[in-house]
Amino acid sequence: NKACQILEISQDKVLGLNWFDNFIPKHERETVISVFKQIISGKITPFEYFENAIISKSGKEKDIAWHNTGINDEEGNIIGLLGSGEDITEKKQLRAKLQQAQKMESIGTLAGGIAHDFNNILSSIIGFSELALDGVDKGSETESDIKEVLTAGQRARSLVNQILTFARQSDDEMKPLEVGSIAKEVLKFLKSSIPSNIEIVSKINSDSLIMGSPTQIHQIIMNLCTNAAQAMENEGGSLELTIEDVTIDAVKEIQDLSTGEYMKIDVKDNGVGISPENISTIFEPYYTTKEIGEGTGMGLAVVHGIVESYHGKITVKSSVDEGSTFSIYLPITKKRTTHTSTE
């Protein structure tokens, strides 16, 4: 029957098994047993609707919504529960994705509005600082102070542009791009700026074109490679950038991607990795594990915003102390097949 399908076990094998020991995950077992005991003892009334996780015989955890009815003896005492369960695992996952999408959209709208207003203020700060520089003595302390104001204003404008990119309100021009050439520029810069104990390996196996902005593609690769390098800055390691063409079957492979030809960009490191409790929040704006003053927390949010606006997908696999691999899938606008691999 349906219950055995959900539990992934046959009827002859399920009979006689202890429900709590065999089908309730350890992290929920104490709570579920406590609720059951309180219902049976009459301390609380049976829940008509109750959600908890179960674990199938293959070890897969599933979310079940229970519709319960109390079973009474002749004296009206609760002696058991009659429950019908519905597997709502996919519904909960879809609900969580929708809530996350709505959250990111609302944050983007708010951030975009603030960024535009802040940009107007920065224009005045930067403009008047440049005018003031023309009217002061060269080499004076006043000139030095105004230059610091100007530098800070330009840094702020750069951050505003990142926020606008995240909010998908950037005015960058979209055109056919060969990503490999941009990636080589980024790696050339990184080689001169990262510690010598980090090796850079590139495997660029695609000359195909995608529709995008050179600035935004540069941001994507720079952000991911910089994060990878920082994850290895203490112990050293290998930063591997791979670009290749792949064919995606939407049903079998990547959720939320249409079937078709994609450019896959992998950035892999063997650094500190990302903990399971943090991995679901890394693409949210202002998430960062860096110390105050070391980063804005906008990097991965900007990358996520750009990739989504290109109708692509970004995924991550990571293990603590073993490293991380970020994979980006971008739709190909022109396929080329004559590429020779470059390292």
Side-chain angles (χ1 to χ4, degrees), residues 194-201 232 236-240:
I194 64 175
S196 58
N197 62 350
I198 297 175
E199 178 191 16
I200 294 179
V201 179
M232 300 182 289
S238 175
L239 190 166
E240 187 174 305

Side-chain angles (χ1 to χ4, degrees), residues 210-225:
I210 61 118
M211 287 297 293
S213 151
T215 303
Q216 291 179 343
I217 294 299
H218 191 280
Q219 274 185 298
I220 287 175
I221 299 174
M222 179 64 81
N223 269 313
L224 292 183
C225 289

Side-chain angles (χ1 to χ4, degrees), residues 38-57:
Q38 289 182 73
I39 291 173
I40 296 299
S41 67
K43 291 182 179 178
I44 59 175
T45 57
F47 295 106
E48 290 186 5
Y49 183 88
F50 186 72
E51 287 184 19
N52 69 268
I54 61 103
I55 190 162
S56 70
K57 270 302 172 184

Side-chain angles (χ1 to χ4, degrees), residues 53-107:
I54 61 103
I55 190 162
S56 70
K57 270 302 172 184
S58 69
K60 188 183 296 181
E61 196 166 302
K62 302 178 180 181
D63 294 300
I64 306 295
W66 298 100
H67 299 271
N68 299 312
T69 303
I71 301 173
N72 301 324
D73 61 15
E74 294 179 354
E75 298 177 358
N77 299 312
I78 295 285
I79 58 172
L81 284 178
L82 177 63
S84 62
E86 177 189 4
D87 186 350
I88 59 169
T89 308
E90 288 189 13
K91 286 183 181 179
K92 286 193 74 171
Q93 290 171 348
L94 288 171
R95 190 191 312 157
K97 287 176 69 175
L98 177 60
Q99 289 172 342
Q100 180 69 4
Q102 290 172 333
K103 174 183 176 183
M104 296 291 275
E105 184 179 358
S106 61
I107 291 173

Side-chain angles (χ1 to χ4, degrees), residues 60-214:
K60 188 183 296 181
E61 196 166 302
K62 302 178 180 181
D63 294 300
I64 306 295
W66 298 100
H67 299 271
N68 299 312
T69 303
I71 301 173
N72 301 324
D73 61 15
E74 294 179 354
E75 298 177 358
N77 299 312
I78 295 285
I79 58 172
L81 284 178
L82 177 63
S84 62
E86 177 189 4
D87 186 350
I88 59 169
T89 308
E90 288 189 13
K91 286 183 181 179
K92 286 193 74 171
Q93 290 171 348
L94 288 171
R95 190 191 312 157
K97 287 176 69 175
L98 177 60
Q99 289 172 342
Q100 180 69 4
Q102 290 172 333
K103 174 183 176 183
M104 296 291 275
E105 184 179 358
S106 61
I107 291 173
T109 301
L110 175 63
I114 294 172
H116 280 297
D117 289 341
F118 190 47
N119 228 4
N120 293 334
I121 298 169
L122 283 174
S123 294
S124 295
I125 293 172
I126 292 170
F128 281 109
S129 295
E130 289 172 340
L131 288 173
L133 276 177
D134 293 336
V136 298
D137 295 332
K138 304 302 178 185
S140 66
E141 187 175 339
T142 302
E143 182 194 43
S144 176
D145 290 343
I146 294 174
K147 281 183 176 179
E148 289 296 327
V149 173
L150 187 57
T151 299
Q154 289 166 342
R155 285 177 183 163
R157 175 169 282 174
S158 175
L159 177 56
V160 166
N161 288 335
Q162 279 197 320
I163 294 171
L164 289 172
T165 299
F166 161 72
R168 304 183 193 178
Q169 297 179 19
S170 174
D171 295 327
D172 286 347
E173 179 188 357
M174 301 284 282
K175 62 183 181 180
L177 292 177
E178 184 185 323
V179 175
S181 58
I182 299 174
K184 289 173 188 175
E185 289 179 18
V186 172
L187 294 182
K188 185 178 179 181
F189 171 79
L190 280 173
K191 283 177 182 176
S192 64
S193 60
I194 64 175
S196 58
N197 62 350
I198 297 175
E199 178 191 16
I200 294 179
V201 179
S202 64
K203 299 177 181 178
I204 300 174
N205 301 314
S206 172
D207 285 330
S208 297
L209 304 180
I210 61 118
M211 287 297 293
S213 151

